[in-house]
Amino acid sequence: MSDSGLLPVVEIRPANDAPATAAVGSGGTPDDYPFEIAHYMRQDPELAHIKWILPAARVSFLFLPESGPLTYRVHVDFYRPKRAITGNGGLQMPAWFDIFTFKLPITPPPAGEEDDKGILESIDALEKLLDGVIASGIPPDRIVLGGISQGGAMALLTGLTTKNKRLAGLVALSARLPLRYRLKSMVSPHASTIPIFWGHGDADRLVTLQLGRACADFLVKEIGIPPEPNWPSSGSGSGGTPSGLDFQTYQDLGHTISDEELLDVGQWLKRIVPGDAEMDSDAS
């Protein structure tokens, strides 16, 4: 475990020991999902170049076998501080920001109905984490920021508002988009060019598919993100980069992840941050 700025992190080395790319996870619910996603992805040879960086407070013991299920893991506590969650009667829960109500509205909540302070503090913490990753030698255009639930919300908000670096892409699973009432004034000049993968289950009762779709539509209509993924043709010489929103819906999936969804994320990652061999082939 290492310390990047204010966020302690767990780093899972690339399977081929050649870190040229980083996938930064901003947590989820339950907390072990980022580890399971990293383990799932690193078994694919075409994703072996990715270094997984997961904000965490403490790992007493972590074992990632080269294949098979994640069989040994003892005590993983994610960084997300415990907060008194207003919508849950003030109960202390791990969270990036407070949730005033679990009856999440489809339309953008007005000022004062979201935890602006907590959200902005978490954006700042993730910004510092990204700065540390870049300082380690991984360029912004080889970094993907993603998360589940609140982690997905923070990935979107951080990636779209960071002013001095355009990330390779963003992943949001079972997520929503807070601060819609003020987001247009916060986004970076390059926000509309960042490719986004958004996965959502049609049986999600916490963050409904209707809410997820409304937030994704906001990105298209208000931020200018293309409504469909754009993949520059290999060998076209256009020098273009991927862009656009890839929104995928999963039947009978609740507020969780599935193998089908992870397979889609993996295929998307291969196009967003291809391995060295594919990059060399495209350049030739």
Side-chain angles (χ1 to χ4, degrees):
M1 185 168 68
S2 65
D3 194 337
S4 297
L6 297 180
L7 287 178
V9 300
V10 170
E11 296 183 354
I12 301 176
R13 293 177 300 176
N16 63 6
D17 289 324
T21 300
V24 181
S26 50
T29 304
D31 282 340
D32 58 358
Y33 277 173
F35 285 95
E36 294 184 3
I37 292 173
H39 173 63
Y40 182 95
M41 297 296 179
R42 73 195 300 270
Q43 295 181 71
D44 188 328
E46 294 183 63
L47 297 173
H49 59 290
I50 294 179
K51 177 180 184 179
W52 295 86
I53 301 173
L54 310 175
R58 180 172 68 255
V59 176
S60 299
F61 181 73
L62 175 66
F63 173 64
L64 285 168
E66 291 303 315
S67 61
L70 183 56
T71 51
Y72 300 99
R73 183 178 60 250
V74 180
H75 204 79
V76 178
D77 286 341
F78 266 69
Y79 164 79
R80 295 180 302 153
K82 285 190 175 181
R83 301 174 183 267
I85 301 300
T86 303
N88 203 20
L91 182 68
Q92 292 279 330
M93 298 173 61
W96 286 105
F97 52 87
D98 191 6
I99 303 170
F100 294 163
T101 176
F102 283 95
K103 295 180 179 179
L104 302 173
I106 304 301
T107 57
E113 294 191 9
E114 294 180 296
D115 180 18
D116 290 43
K117 181 176 182 292
I119 292 171
L120 295 176
E121 288 174 350
S122 291
I123 290 175
D124 183 65
L126 286 168
E127 280 261 26
K128 289 182 170 63
L129 171 59
L130 290 171
D131 288 341
V133 174
I134 294 168
S136 75
I138 300 177
D141 62 1
R142 296 292 290 173
I143 297 174
V144 172
L145 179 62
I148 307 161
S149 192
Q150 274 201 351
M154 292 312 309
L156 291 169
L157 290 173
T158 304
L160 293 172
T161 60
T162 180
K163 296 295 191 295
N164 59 350
K165 43 188 172 286
R166 179 195 180 277
L167 302 182
L170 307 172
V171 176
L173 307 179
S174 302
R176 60 187 175 99
L177 185 65
L179 302 189
R180 280 177 284 167
Y181 82 94
R182 63 183 291 186
L183 187 58
K184 286 182 69 174
S185 66
M186 296 171 58
V187 295
S188 68
H190 48 254
S192 63
T193 71
I194 302 175
I196 297 173
F197 181 94
W198 193 313
H200 219 108
D202 65 2
D204 192 331
R205 295 185 178 182
L206 182 59
V207 181
T208 64
L209 176 60
Q210 184 182 8
L211 173 55
R213 185 74 258 186
C215 292
D217 288 344
F218 177 91
L219 292 178
V220 172
K221 296 174 182 177
E222 301 297 333
I223 307 302
I225 293 174
E228 300 290 340
N230 172 44
W231 307 112
S233 299
S234 177
S236 65
S238 62
T241 56
S243 62
L245 174 68
D246 190 350
F247 191 100
Q248 297 293 330
T249 303
Y250 299 93
Q251 186 175 4
D252 300 325
L253 182 66
H255 197 67
T256 183
I257 55 177
S258 69
D259 287 346
E260 180 186 5
E261 186 175 37
L262 293 184
L263 180 62
D264 287 344
V265 173
Q267 294 302 315
W268 182 86
L269 284 172
K270 292 174 187 178
R271 305 187 78 168
I272 297 297
V273 284
D276 291 340
E278 185 174 341
M279 291 173 64
D280 293 342
S281 174
D282 289 346
S284 61

PDB file of all heavy atoms in Angstrom, residues 76-101:
ATOM      1  N   VAL A  76     -10.354  -5.312   4.335  1.00  0.00           N
ATOM      2  CA  VAL A  76     -10.124  -4.206   3.417  1.00  0.00           C
ATOM      3  C   VAL A  76     -11.037  -3.053   3.827  1.00  0.00           C
ATOM      4  O   VAL A  76     -12.251  -3.194   3.810  1.00  0.00           O
ATOM      5  CB  VAL A  76     -10.427  -4.614   1.960  1.00  0.00           C
ATOM      6  CG1 VAL A  76     -10.225  -3.436   1.026  1.00  0.00           C
ATOM      7  CG2 VAL A  76      -9.544  -5.777   1.540  1.00  0.00           C
ATOM      8  N   ASP A  77     -10.466  -1.944   4.233  1.00  0.00           N
ATOM      9  CA  ASP A  77     -11.244  -0.759   4.599  1.00  0.00           C
ATOM     10  C   ASP A  77     -10.971   0.336   3.584  1.00  0.00           C
ATOM     11  O   ASP A  77      -9.836   0.809   3.469  1.00  0.00           O
ATOM     12  CB  ASP A  77     -10.840  -0.230   5.986  1.00  0.00           C
ATOM     13  CG  ASP A  77     -11.355  -1.116   7.099  1.00  0.00           C
ATOM     14  OD1 ASP A  77     -12.287  -1.889   6.833  1.00  0.00           O
ATOM     15  OD2 ASP A  77     -10.826  -1.028   8.212  1.00  0.00           O
ATOM     16  N   PHE A  78     -11.988   0.745   2.836  1.00  0.00           N
ATOM     17  CA  PHE A  78     -11.770   1.795   1.845  1.00  0.00           C
ATOM     18  C   PHE A  78     -11.641   3.155   2.505  1.00  0.00           C
ATOM     19  O   PHE A  78     -12.138   3.392   3.600  1.00  0.00           O
ATOM     20  CB  PHE A  78     -12.898   1.798   0.809  1.00  0.00           C
ATOM     21  CG  PHE A  78     -12.535   0.993  -0.389  1.00  0.00           C
ATOM     22  CD1 PHE A  78     -12.423  -0.381  -0.286  1.00  0.00           C
ATOM     23  CD2 PHE A  78     -12.247   1.592  -1.584  1.00  0.00           C
ATOM     24  CE1 PHE A  78     -12.054  -1.132  -1.371  1.00  0.00           C
ATOM     25  CE2 PHE A  78     -11.870   0.852  -2.678  1.00  0.00           C
ATOM     26  CZ  PHE A  78     -11.778  -0.513  -2.573  1.00  0.00           C
ATOM     27  N   TYR A  79     -10.970   4.042   1.779  1.00  0.00           N
ATOM     28  CA  TYR A  79     -10.689   5.377   2.307  1.00  0.00           C
ATOM     29  C   TYR A  79     -11.960   6.128   2.680  1.00  0.00           C
ATOM     30  O   TYR A  79     -11.986   6.861   3.649  1.00  0.00           O
ATOM     31  CB  TYR A  79      -9.904   6.206   1.283  1.00  0.00           C
ATOM     32  CG  TYR A  79      -9.925   7.684   1.597  1.00  0.00           C
ATOM     33  CD1 TYR A  79      -9.097   8.215   2.578  1.00  0.00           C
ATOM     34  CD2 TYR A  79     -10.815   8.532   0.954  1.00  0.00           C
ATOM     35  CE1 TYR A  79      -9.135   9.557   2.892  1.00  0.00           C
ATOM     36  CE2 TYR A  79     -10.857   9.875   1.266  1.00  0.00           C
ATOM     37  CZ  TYR A  79     -10.017  10.381   2.232  1.00  0.00           C
ATOM     38  OH  TYR A  79     -10.073  11.704   2.536  1.00  0.00           O
ATOM     39  N   ARG A  80     -12.989   5.972   1.865  1.00  0.00           N
ATOM     40  CA  ARG A  80     -14.172   6.797   2.056  1.00  0.00           C
ATOM     41  C   ARG A  80     -14.500   6.922   3.537  1.00  0.00           C
ATOM     42  O   ARG A  80     -14.785   5.940   4.205  1.00  0.00           O
ATOM     43  CB  ARG A  80     -15.369   6.179   1.322  1.00  0.00           C
ATOM     44  CG  ARG A  80     -15.218   6.140  -0.172  1.00  0.00           C
ATOM     45  CD  ARG A  80     -16.424   5.514  -0.818  1.00  0.00           C
ATOM     46  NE  ARG A  80     -16.640   4.168  -0.322  1.00  0.00           N
ATOM     47  CZ  ARG A  80     -17.821   3.580  -0.275  1.00  0.00           C
ATOM     48  NH1 ARG A  80     -18.893   4.230  -0.641  1.00  0.00           N
ATOM     49  NH2 ARG A  80     -17.938   2.348   0.152  1.00  0.00           N
ATOM     50  N   PRO A  81     -14.431   8.123   4.080  1.00  0.00           N
ATOM     51  CA  PRO A  81     -14.679   8.287   5.514  1.00  0.00           C
ATOM     52  C   PRO A  81     -16.126   7.976   5.850  1.00  0.00           C
ATOM     53  O   PRO A  81     -17.017   8.109   5.015  1.00  0.00           O
ATOM     54  CB  PRO A  81     -14.371   9.768   5.742  1.00  0.00           C
ATOM     55  CG  PRO A  81     -14.637  10.411   4.421  1.00  0.00           C
ATOM     56  CD  PRO A  81     -14.213   9.400   3.393  1.00  0.00           C
ATOM     57  N   LYS A  82     -16.346   7.550   7.075  1.00  0.00           N
ATOM     58  CA  LYS A  82     -17.723   7.349   7.507  1.00  0.00           C
ATOM     59  C   LYS A  82     -18.349   8.705   7.783  1.00  0.00           C
ATOM     60  O   LYS A  82     -17.765   9.549   8.462  1.00  0.00           O
ATOM     61  CB  LYS A  82     -17.766   6.461   8.752  1.00  0.00           C
ATOM     62  CG  LYS A  82     -17.507   4.992   8.454  1.00  0.00           C
ATOM     63  CD  LYS A  82     -17.790   4.121   9.657  1.00  0.00           C
ATOM     64  CE  LYS A  82     -17.651   2.648   9.304  1.00  0.00           C
ATOM     65  NZ  LYS A  82     -17.951   1.770  10.453  1.00  0.00           N
ATOM     66  N   ARG A  83     -19.524   8.893   7.221  1.00  0.00           N
ATOM     67  CA  ARG A  83     -20.249  10.145   7.393  1.00  0.00           C
ATOM     68  C   ARG A  83     -21.624   9.847   7.970  1.00  0.00           C
ATOM     69  O   ARG A  83     -22.177   8.762   7.764  1.00  0.00           O
ATOM     70  CB  ARG A  83     -20.419  10.864   6.050  1.00  0.00           C
ATOM     71  CG  ARG A  83     -19.122  11.204   5.334  1.00  0.00           C
ATOM     72  CD  ARG A  83     -19.424  11.783   3.962  1.00  0.00           C
ATOM     73  NE  ARG A  83     -18.207  12.052   3.200  1.00  0.00           N
ATOM     74  CZ  ARG A  83     -17.578  13.213   3.189  1.00  0.00           C
ATOM     75  NH1 ARG A  83     -18.066  14.224   3.906  1.00  0.00           N
ATOM     76  NH2 ARG A  83     -16.480  13.388   2.480  1.00  0.00           N
ATOM     77  N   ALA A  84     -22.167  10.807   8.662  1.00  0.00           N
ATOM     78  CA  ALA A  84     -23.554  10.702   9.107  1.00  0.00           C
ATOM     79  C   ALA A  84     -24.444  10.941   7.893  1.00  0.00           C
ATOM     80  O   ALA A  84     -24.459  12.032   7.324  1.00  0.00           O
ATOM     81  CB  ALA A  84     -23.843  11.729  10.192  1.00  0.00           C
ATOM     82  N   ILE A  85     -25.148   9.904   7.459  1.00  0.00           N
ATOM     83  CA  ILE A  85     -25.975   9.999   6.260  1.00  0.00           C
ATOM     84  C   ILE A  85     -27.379  10.457   6.656  1.00  0.00           C
ATOM     85  O   ILE A  85     -28.130   9.730   7.312  1.00  0.00           O
ATOM     86  CB  ILE A  85     -26.026   8.655   5.516  1.00  0.00           C
ATOM     87  CG1 ILE A  85     -24.607   8.225   5.123  1.00  0.00           C
ATOM     88  CG2 ILE A  85     -26.918   8.763   4.287  1.00  0.00           C
ATOM     89  CD1 ILE A  85     -23.882   9.199   4.219  1.00  0.00           C
ATOM     90  N   THR A  86     -27.713  11.662   6.240  1.00  0.00           N
ATOM     91  CA  THR A  86     -28.980  12.274   6.630  1.00  0.00           C
ATOM     92  C   THR A  86     -30.167  11.415   6.226  1.00  0.00           C
ATOM     93  O   THR A  86     -31.112  11.226   7.004  1.00  0.00           O
ATOM     94  CB  THR A  86     -29.101  13.668   5.992  1.00  0.00           C
ATOM     95  OG1 THR A  86     -27.976  14.467   6.388  1.00  0.00           O
ATOM     96  CG2 THR A  86     -30.388  14.353   6.420  1.00  0.00           C
ATOM     97  N   GLY A  87     -30.124  10.878   5.009  1.00  0.00           N
ATOM     98  CA  GLY A  87     -31.245  10.092   4.509  1.00  0.00           C
ATOM     99  C   GLY A  87     -31.410   8.754   5.193  1.00  0.00           C
ATOM    100  O   GLY A  87     -32.418   8.070   4.981  1.00  0.00           O
ATOM    101  N   ASN A  88     -30.433   8.377   6.022  1.00  0.00           N
ATOM    102  CA  ASN A  88     -30.506   7.116   6.756  1.00  0.00           C
ATOM    103  C   ASN A  88     -30.565   7.372   8.260  1.00  0.00           C
ATOM    104  O   ASN A  88     -30.002   6.619   9.054  1.00  0.00           O
ATOM    105  CB  ASN A  88     -29.307   6.231   6.403  1.00  0.00           C
ATOM    106  CG  ASN A  88     -29.576   4.757   6.660  1.00  0.00           C
ATOM    107  OD1 ASN A  88     -30.726   4.326   6.751  1.00  0.00           O
ATOM    108  ND2 ASN A  88     -28.518   3.975   6.774  1.00  0.00           N
ATOM    109  N   GLY A  89     -31.213   8.461   8.625  1.00  0.00           N
ATOM    110  CA  GLY A  89     -31.406   8.768  10.034  1.00  0.00           C
ATOM    111  C   GLY A  89     -30.140   9.161  10.766  1.00  0.00           C
ATOM    112  O   GLY A  89     -30.058   9.018  11.989  1.00  0.00           O
ATOM    113  N   GLY A  90     -29.133   9.638  10.033  1.00  0.00           N
ATOM    114  CA  GLY A  90     -27.883  10.048  10.655  1.00  0.00           C
ATOM    115  C   GLY A  90     -26.919   8.918  10.931  1.00  0.00           C
ATOM    116  O   GLY A  90     -25.876   9.129  11.564  1.00  0.00           O
ATOM    117  N   LEU A  91     -27.224   7.711  10.450  1.00  0.00           N
ATOM    118  CA  LEU A  91     -26.339   6.564  10.661  1.00  0.00           C
ATOM    119  C   LEU A  91     -25.007   6.795   9.966  1.00  0.00           C
ATOM    120  O   LEU A  91     -24.945   7.272   8.838  1.00  0.00           O
ATOM    121  CB  LEU A  91     -26.996   5.295  10.119  1.00  0.00           C
ATOM    122  CG  LEU A  91     -26.217   3.983  10.302  1.00  0.00           C
ATOM    123  CD1 LEU A  91     -26.147   3.617  11.772  1.00  0.00           C
ATOM    124  CD2 LEU A  91     -26.879   2.861   9.498  1.00  0.00           C
ATOM    125  N   GLN A  92     -23.914   6.456  10.652  1.00  0.00           N
ATOM    126  CA  GLN A  92     -22.584   6.589  10.080  1.00  0.00           C
ATOM    127  C   GLN A  92     -22.365   5.495   9.031  1.00  0.00           C
ATOM    128  O   GLN A  92     -22.509   4.309   9.314  1.00  0.00           O
ATOM    129  CB  GLN A  92     -21.531   6.466  11.181  1.00  0.00           C
ATOM    130  CG  GLN A  92     -21.523   7.616  12.171  1.00  0.00           C
ATOM    131  CD  GLN A  92     -20.770   8.825  11.639  1.00  0.00           C
ATOM    132  OE1 GLN A  92     -19.838   8.702  10.859  1.00  0.00           O
ATOM    133  NE2 GLN A  92     -21.171  10.010  12.089  1.00  0.00           N
ATOM    134  N   MET A  93     -22.020   5.912   7.809  1.00  0.00           N
ATOM    135  CA  MET A  93     -21.790   4.977   6.714  1.00  0.00           C
ATOM    136  C   MET A  93     -20.588   5.439   5.899  1.00  0.00           C
ATOM    137  O   MET A  93     -20.318   6.641   5.822  1.00  0.00           O
ATOM    138  CB  MET A  93     -23.019   4.906   5.794  1.00  0.00           C
ATOM    139  CG  MET A  93     -24.289   4.417   6.441  1.00  0.00           C
ATOM    140  SD  MET A  93     -25.714   4.558   5.311  1.00  0.00           S
ATOM    141  CE  MET A  93     -25.190   3.484   3.965  1.00  0.00           C
ATOM    142  N   PRO A  94     -19.833   4.504   5.285  1.00  0.00           N
ATOM    143  CA  PRO A  94     -18.765   4.928   4.372  1.00  0.00           C
ATOM    144  C   PRO A  94     -19.380   5.634   3.168  1.00  0.00           C
ATOM    145  O   PRO A  94     -20.294   5.106   2.531  1.00  0.00           O
ATOM    146  CB  PRO A  94     -18.105   3.611   3.958  1.00  0.00           C
ATOM    147  CG  PRO A  94     -18.543   2.606   4.968  1.00  0.00           C
ATOM    148  CD  PRO A  94     -19.904   3.040   5.414  1.00  0.00           C
ATOM    149  N   ALA A  95     -18.917   6.819   2.864  1.00  0.00           N
ATOM    150  CA  ALA A  95     -19.498   7.576   1.756  1.00  0.00           C
ATOM    151  C   ALA A  95     -18.554   8.690   1.338  1.00  0.00           C
ATOM    152  O   ALA A  95     -17.833   9.255   2.162  1.00  0.00           O
ATOM    153  CB  ALA A  95     -20.850   8.169   2.154  1.00  0.00           C
ATOM    154  N   TRP A  96     -18.579   9.016   0.056  1.00  0.00           N
ATOM    155  CA  TRP A  96     -17.818  10.158  -0.441  1.00  0.00           C
ATOM    156  C   TRP A  96     -18.512  11.471  -0.096  1.00  0.00           C
ATOM    157  O   TRP A  96     -17.875  12.517  -0.021  1.00  0.00           O
ATOM    158  CB  TRP A  96     -17.657  10.062  -1.958  1.00  0.00           C
ATOM    159  CG  TRP A  96     -16.679   9.030  -2.428  1.00  0.00           C
ATOM    160  CD1 TRP A  96     -16.974   7.823  -2.997  1.00  0.00           C
ATOM    161  CD2 TRP A  96     -15.247   9.106  -2.397  1.00  0.00           C
ATOM    162  NE1 TRP A  96     -15.819   7.147  -3.314  1.00  0.00           N
ATOM    163  CE2 TRP A  96     -14.743   7.913  -2.958  1.00  0.00           C
ATOM    164  CE3 TRP A  96     -14.342  10.065  -1.945  1.00  0.00           C
ATOM    165  CZ2 TRP A  96     -13.379   7.654  -3.086  1.00  0.00           C
ATOM    166  CZ3 TRP A  96     -12.981   9.810  -2.073  1.00  0.00           C
ATOM    167  CH2 TRP A  96     -12.513   8.618  -2.635  1.00  0.00           C
ATOM    168  N   PHE A  97     -19.838  11.420   0.085  1.00  0.00           N
ATOM    169  CA  PHE A  97     -20.595  12.624   0.429  1.00  0.00           C
ATOM    170  C   PHE A  97     -21.907  12.210   1.079  1.00  0.00           C
ATOM    171  O   PHE A  97     -22.332  11.054   0.993  1.00  0.00           O
ATOM    172  CB  PHE A  97     -20.848  13.500  -0.808  1.00  0.00           C
ATOM    173  CG  PHE A  97     -21.459  12.766  -1.981  1.00  0.00           C
ATOM    174  CD1 PHE A  97     -22.836  12.629  -2.105  1.00  0.00           C
ATOM    175  CD2 PHE A  97     -20.653  12.223  -2.971  1.00  0.00           C
ATOM    176  CE1 PHE A  97     -23.401  11.962  -3.179  1.00  0.00           C
ATOM    177  CE2 PHE A  97     -21.201  11.550  -4.055  1.00  0.00           C
ATOM    178  CZ  PHE A  97     -22.582  11.416  -4.161  1.00  0.00           C
ATOM    179  N   ASP A  98     -22.553  13.160   1.739  1.00  0.00           N
ATOM    180  CA  ASP A  98     -23.814  12.896   2.427  1.00  0.00           C
ATOM    181  C   ASP A  98     -24.933  12.692   1.404  1.00  0.00           C
ATOM    182  O   ASP A  98     -24.896  13.231   0.286  1.00  0.00           O
ATOM    183  CB  ASP A  98     -24.152  14.079   3.343  1.00  0.00           C
ATOM    184  CG  ASP A  98     -25.296  13.772   4.302  1.00  0.00           C
ATOM    185  OD1 ASP A  98     -25.761  12.612   4.348  1.00  0.00           O
ATOM    186  OD2 ASP A  98     -25.729  14.714   5.003  1.00  0.00           O
ATOM    187  N   ILE A  99     -25.912  11.906   1.787  1.00  0.00           N
ATOM    188  CA  ILE A  99     -27.107  11.686   0.975  1.00  0.00           C
ATOM    189  C   ILE A  99     -28.288  12.193   1.797  1.00  0.00           C
ATOM    190  O   ILE A  99     -28.621  11.621   2.833  1.00  0.00           O
ATOM    191  CB  ILE A  99     -27.290  10.194   0.632  1.00  0.00           C
ATOM    192  CG1 ILE A  99     -26.044   9.653  -0.079  1.00  0.00           C
ATOM    193  CG2 ILE A  99     -28.532   9.994  -0.241  1.00  0.00           C
ATOM    194  CD1 ILE A  99     -26.041   8.147  -0.246  1.00  0.00           C
ATOM    195  N   PHE A 100     -28.896  13.267   1.346  1.00  0.00           N
ATOM    196  CA  PHE A 100     -29.961  13.882   2.125  1.00  0.00           C
ATOM    197  C   PHE A 100     -31.248  13.059   2.093  1.00  0.00           C
ATOM    198  O   PHE A 100     -32.026  13.068   3.038  1.00  0.00           O
ATOM    199  CB  PHE A 100     -30.229  15.299   1.628  1.00  0.00           C
ATOM    200  CG  PHE A 100     -29.070  16.247   1.849  1.00  0.00           C
ATOM    201  CD1 PHE A 100     -28.994  17.441   1.169  1.00  0.00           C
ATOM    202  CD2 PHE A 100     -28.053  15.936   2.745  1.00  0.00           C
ATOM    203  CE1 PHE A 100     -27.926  18.321   1.377  1.00  0.00           C
ATOM    204  CE2 PHE A 100     -26.988  16.792   2.966  1.00  0.00           C
ATOM    205  CZ  PHE A 100     -26.924  17.991   2.278  1.00  0.00           C
ATOM    206  N   THR A 101     -31.489  12.362   0.980  1.00  0.00           N
ATOM    207  CA  THR A 101     -32.658  11.493   0.860  1.00  0.00           C
ATOM    208  C   THR A 101     -32.347  10.380  -0.125  1.00  0.00           C
ATOM    209  O   THR A 101     -31.597  10.583  -1.090  1.00  0.00           O
ATOM    210  CB  THR A 101     -33.899  12.272   0.381  1.00  0.00           C
ATOM    211  OG1 THR A 101     -34.988  11.348   0.197  1.00  0.00           O
ATOM    212  CG2 THR A 101     -33.637  12.994  -0.931  1.00  0.00           C
TER     213      THR A 101
END
